[in-house]
């Protein structure tokens, strides 16, 4: 009498599993191959790179990138964040508001293509679309310079003229851009006041040193007095080895001192100097560098008006010498 056993919890070994299975089957009839084992799926990244970030706020968003102190990386941030936004599919116009000392065209490799500036537009010598320089790598990124190198602005140029310029960009026939980035000059003089006048939000670039933090705190107060409440900061040139050795303030210390939302942390990278000399921004490098990836993440957060949290870096214990026994 035959008995059937259905779906037993512990199935008994069959002839296929025995070591005598080659002897039980002739060469013309081979035993079936076992199913291949599937590998577990890799861990996905926290950032959702498989989707396009959703633009928050009203378009166009006018963002001024400032710091107060010179040499902290405002122009580098403007170039890399601007091109990162363009790579995400948003239209960007970057305005170099540094009069007489413009450098944004050098970092973008567009210095030989700037024929007209805002001064010629205001004087009626050219149209606004003639002064806009479109990037050949990403056609949705455009550069607009206020003036030519080693030139002075007319006396009547000020915040109202820059507001008119931003309004003209909004009213273009081909449509207003999604982002208008203003590269602010160093200092807190008339050029700074002119650059922040049309802005609705600000990105404050600072480095973890005392002089930069003092200027950043002063600039934060001036931005709030001008009515700009949406202020986020980017901490540039961070070295974790110096933070662990207690030779540099951590990002958490910087955030506690300034009290601003953190948009991004850019590590120290020697590739910045190479990319600057070549006129090729970091975010276009292949393979990408750590600083380039940090700029891309900062651009992603800027689109969605998001921020990040600073993480405390554990400090390394100091080496104790022979004289430490005596309190040295």
């Amino acid at each position: 009498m035959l008995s059937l056993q259905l779906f037993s919890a512990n199935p008994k070994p069959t002839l296929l599993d025995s070591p005598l299975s080659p002897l039980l089957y002739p060469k013309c009839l081979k035993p079936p191959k076992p199913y291949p084992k599937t590998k577990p799926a890799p861990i996905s990244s926290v950032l959702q790179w498989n989707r396009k970030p959703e633009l928050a706020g009203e378009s166009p968003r006018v963002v001024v990138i400032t710091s107060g102190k010179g040499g902290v990386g405002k122009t580098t941030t403007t170039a890399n964040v601007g091109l990162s936004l363009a790579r995400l599919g948003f239209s960007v116009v970057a305005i170099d508001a540094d009069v007489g000392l413009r450098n944004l065209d050098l970092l973008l490799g567009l210095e030989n293509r700037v024929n007209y500036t805002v001064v010629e537009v205001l004087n009626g010598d050219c149209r606004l679309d003639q002064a806009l320089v479109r990037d050949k790598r990403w056609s949705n990124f455009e550069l607009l310079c206020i003036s030519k190198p080693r030139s002075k602005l007319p006396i009547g140029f000020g915040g109202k003229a820059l507001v008119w310029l931003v309004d003209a960009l909004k009213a273009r026939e081909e449509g207003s851009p999604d982002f208008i980035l203003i590269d602010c000059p160093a200092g807190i003089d008339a050029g700074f006041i002119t650059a922040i006048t049309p802005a609705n939000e600000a990105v404050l670039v600072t480095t973890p040193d005392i002089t930069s933090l003092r200027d950043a705190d002063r600039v934060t107060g001036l931005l709030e007095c001008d009515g700009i409440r949406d202020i986020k900061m980017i901490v540039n040139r961070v070295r974790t080895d110096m933070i662990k050795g207690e030779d540099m303030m951590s990002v958490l210390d910087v955030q506690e001192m300034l009290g601003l939302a953190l948009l991004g942390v850019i590590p120290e990278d020697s590739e910045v100097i190479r990319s600057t000399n070549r006129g090729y921004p970091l975010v276009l490098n292949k393979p990408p560098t750590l600083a380039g990836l940090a700029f891309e993440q900062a651009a992603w957060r800027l689109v969605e008006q998001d921020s990040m949290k600073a993480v405390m870096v554990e400090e390394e214990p100091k080496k104790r010498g022979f004289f430490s026994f005596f309190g040295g």
Side-chain angles (χ1 to χ4, degrees):
M1 184 176 179
L2 297 176
S3 62
L4 297 178
Q5 186 177 4
L6 299 176
F7 304 101
S8 63
N10 297 319
K12 296 181 180 180
T14 61
L15 293 176
L16 296 177
D17 300 326
S18 66
L20 300 178
S21 59
L23 302 177
L24 297 175
Y25 286 87
K27 294 183 178 180
C28 60
L29 183 61
K30 296 182 180 180
K33 296 181 180 180
Y35 290 102
K37 296 181 180 180
T38 58
K39 296 182 180 180
I43 300 175
S44 58
S45 177
V46 177
L47 290 176
Q48 302 177 9
W49 295 106
N50 58 343
R51 68 173 179 89
K52 179 181 177 180
E54 298 179 359
L55 182 61
E58 297 181 356
S59 179
R61 288 170 53 184
V62 185
V63 185
V64 60
I65 299 178
T66 181
S67 68
K69 188 177 185 299
V72 297
K74 294 184 299 296
T75 306
T76 303
T77 301
T78 305
N80 287 277
V81 171
L83 275 178
S84 297
L85 294 173
R87 295 178 66 189
L88 291 173
F90 301 100
S91 56
V92 182
V93 174
I95 301 177
D96 192 345
D98 199 346
V99 178
L101 295 174
R102 74 178 197 208
N103 292 314
L104 186 56
D105 55 338
L106 291 173
L107 269 67
L108 295 169
L110 302 175
E111 65 275 7
N112 295 327
R113 297 180 56 198
V114 180
N115 298 320
Y116 299 103
T117 62
V118 175
V119 174
E120 281 82 14
V121 175
L122 295 176
N123 293 334
D125 299 331
C126 68
R127 302 186 308 271
L128 178 60
D129 58 344
Q130 291 178 315
L132 288 167
V133 180
R134 191 180 301 272
D135 192 277
K136 293 182 179 180
R137 297 160 293 195
W138 296 93
S139 59
N140 52 346
F141 181 87
E142 294 174 304
L143 172 66
L144 181 61
C145 298
I146 294 292
S147 65
K148 294 182 179 179
R150 298 180 301 276
S151 64
K152 297 182 180 180
L153 280 179
I155 299 177
F157 188 88
K160 292 183 178 180
L162 198 57
V163 170
W164 172 87
L165 181 65
V166 171
D167 292 338
L169 290 173
K170 296 178 181 179
R172 286 198 301 174
E173 295 181 356
E174 55 269 26
S176 63
D178 297 318
F179 285 91
I180 300 176
L181 304 181
I182 302 176
D183 184 17
C184 183
I188 54 174
D189 53 359
F192 168 79
I193 301 300
T194 301
I196 69 173
T197 300
N200 301 322
E201 50 188 301
V203 174
L204 188 67
V205 183
T206 184
T207 54
D209 60 81
I210 296 297
T211 56
S212 179
L213 292 177
R214 173 189 283 181
D215 294 348
D217 186 55
R218 173 62 174 160
V219 168
T220 302
L222 295 176
L223 292 173
E224 292 176 349
C225 291
D226 198 66
I228 302 176
R229 301 296 179 183
D230 189 359
I231 307 173
K232 295 182 177 63
M233 71 171 177
I234 290 180
V235 185
N236 194 19
R237 304 184 67 178
V238 176
R239 292 183 56 179
T240 55
D241 56 339
M242 295 187 66
I243 295 175
K244 291 180 180 180
E246 299 182 3
D247 296 322
M248 177 181 287
M249 284 186 293
S250 65
V251 179
L252 191 61
D253 296 336
V254 174
Q255 193 173 16
E256 290 178 354
M257 292 182 64
L258 297 179
L260 299 175
L262 187 60
L263 187 65
V265 178
I266 314 299
E268 180 76 34
D269 196 344
S270 60
E271 193 65 26
V272 175
I273 299 177
R274 299 189 186 96
S275 65
T276 301
N277 294 333
R278 291 184 300 166
Y280 198 80
L282 281 173
V283 294
L284 301 180
N285 283 3
K286 294 181 180 180
T289 61
L290 290 177
L293 291 175
F295 278 122
E296 290 183 351
Q297 295 173 6
W300 185 287
R301 299 185 189 99
L302 182 63
V303 172
E304 298 191 340
Q305 292 184 343
D306 197 4
S307 60
M308 64 179 293
K309 293 183 179 180
V311 180
M312 181 179 296
V313 178
E314 186 176 356
E315 298 175 353
E316 293 181 351
K318 292 186 176 181
K319 296 181 179 179
R320 301 178 61 86
F322 173 77
F323 294 98
S324 61
F325 179 79
F326 303 99

